[in-house]
Amino acid sequence: MSSRVPTHQSAVVGASLRSKLVPTLRLDVTAPIEETVAALNQFQPRVLVGYASALKPLAAEQRAGRLRISPQGVMSASEVLSPPTALELEAAWGSGPFDVYAATETAGIASPCNYRNRHVYEDLLIIEPVDQAGNPVRAGTTGAKLLVTVLFSRTLPLIRYEMSDTVRLGGRGCPCGRPFTLLEDIEGRIEDVLQLPGKEGEVSVHPFVFHHALDQAALAGWQVIQEHSGLRVLLAGLAPEPPPRESAPQ
């Protein structure tokens, strides 16, 4: 379960891996949970891959008996997978999820080895946790944001591209033998699922709902903040109204 918007990395990967030899089912994370459960019950996936925010409600559906699948493996990608959520996924499907840290702009950033230590893909990118002023932080210190340099992108070079992720890097050395830097912790990204009141109880609204609506607007940036009284939407960089069209000469 991920995005089906073509500009998102998860959609690109899904389209690239489409093959008659490996049947796949791509589901939109913003679709109603009932539709997703019905589709998965019919498809019966061997491997379940999705955002943590999408896998968590599916685990609840599995424990409630409405979702009835038996994947051999579960992979959480892109978003932060918290320890409580990982335990919920393990309780639902019997094995700990494989957690891949990634972003649309960079593809994969880090993933765990057999010893569950997360290694940064240092042959593909450079990541630099920094403080609010952009200064590098020491190993073992959580940065306020992350600067990423992608080494494999020839179409759109990204050099010290700023992301709102807060991560902590460790040292090197792992029993698996990989020499890459260890990613000790991922505290989060300034993006989360909103819980809003609905007619039949709480409704989960994924950030991609806002991406669909606001990414089409002429904006330099936007932010949605959930408050007790409702939602506050902040917009930046509104484009001017286009000039009226001139009438064609008769």
Side-chain angles (χ1 to χ4, degrees):
M1 286 191 64
S2 60
S3 173
R4 300 187 71 175
V5 178
T7 54
H8 281 275
Q9 185 251 353
S10 55
V12 175
V13 171
S16 301
L17 297 179
R18 187 183 296 116
S19 168
K20 294 181 180 180
L21 300 177
V22 184
T24 58
L25 175 67
R26 294 172 57 208
L27 299 173
D28 194 328
V29 72
T30 62
I33 189 69
E34 298 82 5
E35 294 181 12
T36 300
V37 167
L40 289 172
N41 281 337
Q42 181 177 5
F43 188 74
Q44 290 297 309
R46 292 177 58 189
V47 178
L48 183 64
V49 182
Y51 302 134
S53 58
L55 295 174
K56 183 176 181 177
L58 288 180
E61 292 292 307
Q62 179 83 17
R63 294 195 303 275
R66 291 181 289 270
L67 180 62
R68 297 175 296 277
I69 60 175
S70 302
Q72 297 176 14
V74 177
M75 180 183 295
S76 172
S78 298
E79 296 178 346
V80 175
L81 178 66
S82 66
T85 298
L87 290 176
E88 290 183 36
L89 304 187
E90 184 172 359
W93 293 296
S95 62
F98 185 80
D99 183 25
V100 177
Y101 174 42
T104 292
E105 300 89 342
T106 63
I109 297 176
S111 63
C113 63
N114 291 337
Y115 291 88
R116 295 292 176 176
N117 293 321
R118 285 177 291 207
H119 296 267
V120 178
Y121 302 158
E122 291 184 298
D123 52 343
L124 299 177
L125 45 78
I126 301 169
I127 65 172
E128 304 171 72
V130 297
D131 60 21
Q132 287 289 0
N135 301 311
V137 299
R138 293 179 297 177
T141 303
T142 300
K145 51 191 174 181
L146 192 66
L147 303 180
V148 181
T149 299
V150 179
L151 302 177
F152 61 85
S153 177
R154 299 184 180 182
T155 305
L156 179 63
L158 292 178
I159 301 174
R160 306 198 83 199
Y161 176 83
E162 183 178 311
M163 297 172 58
S164 61
D165 296 16
T166 53
V167 306
R168 184 175 72 243
L169 296 182
R172 301 176 185 273
C174 177
C176 75
R178 290 179 175 84
F180 298 148
T181 297
L182 297 174
L183 182 64
E184 289 186 346
D185 188 38
I186 310 169
E187 287 194 2
R189 182 176 295 172
I190 307 175
E191 185 171 80
D192 202 358
V193 175
L194 299 180
Q195 303 297 330
L196 302 177
K199 291 182 178 179
E200 300 179 1
E202 257 191 1
V203 177
S204 298
V205 181
H206 199 276
F208 281 153
V209 173
F210 298 97
H211 284 294
H212 290 326
L214 296 175
D215 281 358
Q216 303 303 317
L219 304 172
W222 53 269
Q223 183 179 15
V224 179
I225 303 171
Q226 184 172 11
E227 298 177 339
H228 292 297
S229 58
L231 300 181
R232 183 154 54 104
V233 181
L234 307 178
L235 306 178
L238 280 173
E241 289 289 330
R245 283 188 173 184
E246 295 183 3
S247 301
Q250 300 294 325

